[in-house]
Amino acid sequence: MFLRIVPIRRPSGKVDQYVRLVESYYDRGKIKQRTIANLGRKELLAPHVDRLVELLRGEPPKTTGSWEAKSAAVWGPTLVARLLWEELGFPELLEASGKRPQAVSLEERAFVLVAHRLICPGSEHALAQWLETDYVADRRGERILPIWKENGRVRVDHRFLWPWYRTLDELIQRKEELEEGLFSRLRDLFSLQPERVFYDLTSTYFEGEGPEELAQFGYSRDRREGNRQILLGVVMVNGWPIAHHVFRGNLKDGETVQRVVEDLEKRFGLRRVVFVGDRGMVSTANLGFLWSQGHGFLVGLRRRRSPEVLEYLCQAQAGCWQPCAPGSNDRVCEVPGRLPGQRIFVMESAERLAYEQAMREAAVSKIREELEKLAKRVEKGELRDPEKIGAAAGRILSLHHGHRYFRWSLSSGRFEFSQEPLEEEKLLEGKYLILTEEKHLSAVEAVGAYKELSQVERAFRKLKDVLEMRPIYHHDPRAAPGPCLCCRLGLLA
């Protein structure tokens, strides 16, 4: 074996010399040569030539001095994320590059943001710390490193942050095009059959005021009523998220349905689907819209404050029940709807039934104890003002839905309470009601399809807990939806 110097001309015209380890061998009586290893550029290896020669001669290694690793960056997770990124076709969908020849392309910048959410979730400020520990390179093989600069509590230089903020803007501008391309890719890879579309909403909150109009106070699924929020709607087909929508934080769930369905028709070309949604999506206007557009629906019904639901439950008691699956304790019964063509499925979950019964018994016991204490205070004369007595009773009954179980009265300075009949409560416990007009759907199939809506709920848990979508710190209305998009793209992995 011997060393060979090979000149290689670069596109710029510069000639670099590379060192190769070459071996001679016989082949059919002729001497031939083959390359064993490429050792690198000559000028970099020059200080180590003598040692290379010694190693080639088989001499034992010499231990001179001490060795210390300058860095030990993490490679593996980023390589896996890159493989998934390329498999889903992101490079082709985001192949637009920067305006300057040396600029990092949108596809490369987007990959860094999504991989960060997938591997070590955090904000754009936290991205800098991640790039210090994980080796993330651009297409030229050059490592992307943060720029640090102390500025009060902020340690990241603005020159590093602004390109990533700009990346969020660019991604949002191409959101629709990106989702359409991903849907085509997923349809080809996994043979998606978009017969049923699953849709649900969640909320995510802001630290600070958030962008005007978009960030509003509303019903918080995160129990952050004091924070402004936005609503995030996710559309899934066969377990894959194909689209998402960002709405202002005080919008009602049912007000988003028509916009989502119109978007599915326009961008994805879905002519007829069965829309699967929870109880918040049900309204006469929404069901009428789906029917007018030729779509089907499979939606849950609200259990309380509806005389129709009580009628359906009473009919189901005397109806024909069947197990939801072989060996399962869950069961379902079909009853006729009020309108022609409507079908109602009453499903009873054994697990939910036991849970709600236990919750009711615990609530009744605790509320009775508190009401007895209040009655003794009134009897002893510690509390005499009727308004204060009523306020105290109201506070007690507001706990654990006490208004469902007890009634109270105040007569001649005597506080009395009684437990309401629980027939209706017991009738509701463990029950779900599903409404549809699909003629060829059996009761068991309807329950199975509605249960698949839990896929969206699992996706929300991954978005919030695994990918850490919350909270959002942006106050620019253009950038605020950006973290939602990055998390949603990470969800595909």
Side-chain angles (χ1 to χ4, degrees):
M1 291 187 290
F2 58 93
L3 298 178
R4 171 176 289 170
I5 308 299
V6 180
I8 296 179
R9 184 180 298 275
R10 298 174 62 180
S12 61
K14 181 181 176 181
V15 177
D16 289 329
Q17 293 184 325
Y18 287 81
V19 181
R20 294 179 179 174
L21 180 62
V22 181
E23 178 187 46
S24 297
Y25 66 97
Y26 281 98
D27 183 15
R28 297 179 183 179
K30 294 183 180 181
I31 299 177
K32 295 185 179 181
Q33 298 174 351
R34 57 190 173 199
T35 300
I36 301 300
N38 293 306
L39 302 180
R41 289 164 56 180
K42 179 181 176 182
E43 62 268 25
L44 298 178
L45 294 172
H48 312 288
V49 169
D50 295 337
R51 184 69 195 124
L52 282 173
V53 173
E54 292 174 357
L55 291 174
L56 291 174
R57 289 174 178 172
E59 298 181 10
K62 299 179 180 179
T63 57
T64 57
S66 60
W67 297 86
E68 181 180 354
K70 293 183 177 180
S71 65
V74 179
W75 287 71
T78 307
L79 294 177
V80 174
R82 170 63 72 178
L83 179 64
L84 295 171
W85 181 264
E86 294 178 350
E87 186 70 18
L88 290 170
F90 282 103
E92 294 78 13
L93 296 171
L94 296 171
E95 60 186 1
S97 60
K99 296 180 180 179
R100 295 178 300 170
Q102 300 299 322
V104 181
S105 70
L106 172 61
E107 183 268 328
E108 295 172 75
R109 288 181 279 124
F111 169 73
V112 174
L113 290 176
V114 175
H116 175 223
R117 284 286 178 177
L118 185 61
I119 299 169
C120 185
S123 65
E124 286 71 34
H125 284 261
L127 172 66
Q129 187 61 47
W130 177 64
L131 290 174
E132 285 281 9
T133 59
D134 285 48
Y135 195 100
V136 184
D138 59 22
R139 289 293 183 183
R140 299 185 298 275
E142 297 180 5
R143 184 176 181 181
I144 301 174
L145 289 171
I147 304 174
W148 300 99
K149 181 180 180 181
E150 292 287 348
N151 185 15
R153 292 189 305 168
V154 179
R155 296 180 56 237
V156 186
D157 197 312
H158 286 173
R159 291 177 297 168
F160 171 80
L161 288 175
W162 285 115
W164 304 112
Y165 293 150
R166 189 167 58 250
T167 302
L168 293 178
D169 293 342
E170 294 178 46
L171 283 175
I172 289 299
Q173 291 173 5
R174 300 186 61 174
K175 169 185 172 294
E176 294 189 357
E177 172 190 347
L178 186 59
E179 288 181 337
E180 293 170 25
L182 284 171
F183 176 69
S184 299
R185 181 70 172 166
L186 291 171
R187 185 173 53 191
D188 295 339
L189 284 174
F190 303 103
S191 301
L192 295 189
Q193 300 293 329
E195 298 175 354
R196 299 188 187 121
V197 169
F198 299 85
Y199 173 66
D200 205 351
L201 280 165
T202 190
S203 61
T204 186
Y205 59 90
F206 290 89
E207 287 293 346
E209 295 296 321
E212 294 184 9
E213 297 184 2
L214 192 61
Q216 299 289 336
F217 293 107
Y219 170 64
S220 174
R221 279 81 168 176
D222 303 312
R223 299 182 180 178
R224 289 295 190 106
E225 287 76 11
N227 293 68
R228 297 179 186 271
Q229 65 177 23
I230 54 174
L231 296 181
L232 177 69
V234 174
V235 180
M236 298 188 75
V237 171
N238 297 140
W240 292 95
I242 66 169
H244 79 280
H245 301 267
V246 175
F247 305 101
R248 69 176 189 270
N250 60 353
L251 205 62
K252 293 182 179 179
D253 293 6
E255 296 176 3
T256 67
V257 172
Q258 294 190 22
R259 173 176 165 180
V260 170
V261 173
E262 289 172 351
D263 180 71
L264 290 172
E265 295 173 342
K266 179 181 177 182
R267 290 201 294 135
F268 301 97
L270 303 183
R271 296 185 177 181
R272 188 187 188 279
V273 296
V274 178
F275 180 89
V276 184
D278 68 1
R279 294 165 290 185
M281 312 296 175
V282 179
S283 70
T284 303
N286 285 338
L287 298 184
F289 169 77
L290 291 169
W291 182 82
S292 66
Q293 297 298 108
H295 299 298
F297 55 84
L298 186 71
V299 293
L301 293 178
R302 296 183 184 275
R303 297 189 300 174
R304 301 188 183 278
R305 296 185 295 275
S306 173
E308 297 178 3
V309 167
L310 292 176
E311 290 181 15
Y312 298 145
L313 292 175
C314 292
Q315 293 177 29
Q317 278 190 312
C320 180
W321 293 83
Q322 57 179 310
C324 294
S328 173
N329 293 326
D330 298 343
R331 56 180 189 164
V332 61
C333 175
E334 181 177 355
V335 297
R338 281 195 168 187
L339 298 178
Q342 285 188 347
R343 304 173 67 193
I344 306 295
F345 301 103
V346 180
M347 183 262 187
E348 183 181 79
S349 167
E351 181 180 358
R352 187 70 183 180
L353 177 62
Y355 170 77
E356 291 186 352
Q357 285 177 346
M359 291 294 291
R360 170 176 53 80
E361 291 170 0
V364 168
S365 175
K366 185 172 183 60
I367 294 167
R368 181 184 290 110
E369 181 181 347
E370 294 296 323
L371 290 175
E372 288 174 351
K373 290 179 181 179
L374 178 59
K376 289 180 180 180
R377 290 179 62 196
V378 175
E379 184 179 355
K380 292 179 180 180
E382 297 176 2
L383 198 61
R384 297 180 179 180
D385 188 346
E387 291 186 3
K388 292 183 178 180
I389 295 173
R395 284 194 298 270
I396 294 173
L397 294 180
S398 65
L399 300 174
H400 310 291
H401 307 291
H403 293 285
R404 299 175 184 171
Y405 312 124
F406 291 93
R407 293 293 182 268
W408 65 273
S409 63
L410 185 65
S411 176
S412 301
R414 183 184 179 88
F415 180 83
E416 297 178 343
F417 65 91
S418 61
Q419 187 169 335
E420 286 287 292
L422 299 179
E423 283 73 14
E424 289 187 6
E425 285 299 319
K426 292 180 179 179
L427 199 60
L428 290 171
E429 287 173 347
K431 306 292 195 309
Y432 297 93
L433 286 89
I434 304 170
L435 168 65
T436 187
E437 288 187 349
E438 296 298 299
K439 299 178 180 179
H440 305 292
L441 202 63
S442 70
V444 174
E445 290 172 340
V447 171
Y450 188 73
K451 283 186 175 181
E452 289 183 36
L453 194 60
S454 61
Q455 294 176 347
V456 189
E457 296 174 356
R458 286 195 294 270
F460 289 152
R461 288 195 291 272
K462 291 178 182 178
L463 285 171
K464 293 183 176 183
D465 299 332
V466 179
L467 301 175
E468 295 185 13
M469 180 177 64
R470 56 186 177 181
I472 300 176
Y473 297 93
H474 296 277
H475 57 81
D476 188 330
R478 296 174 302 173
C484 298
L485 176 57
C486 288
C487 291
R488 212 277 285 171
L489 296 179
L491 183 63
L492 286 170

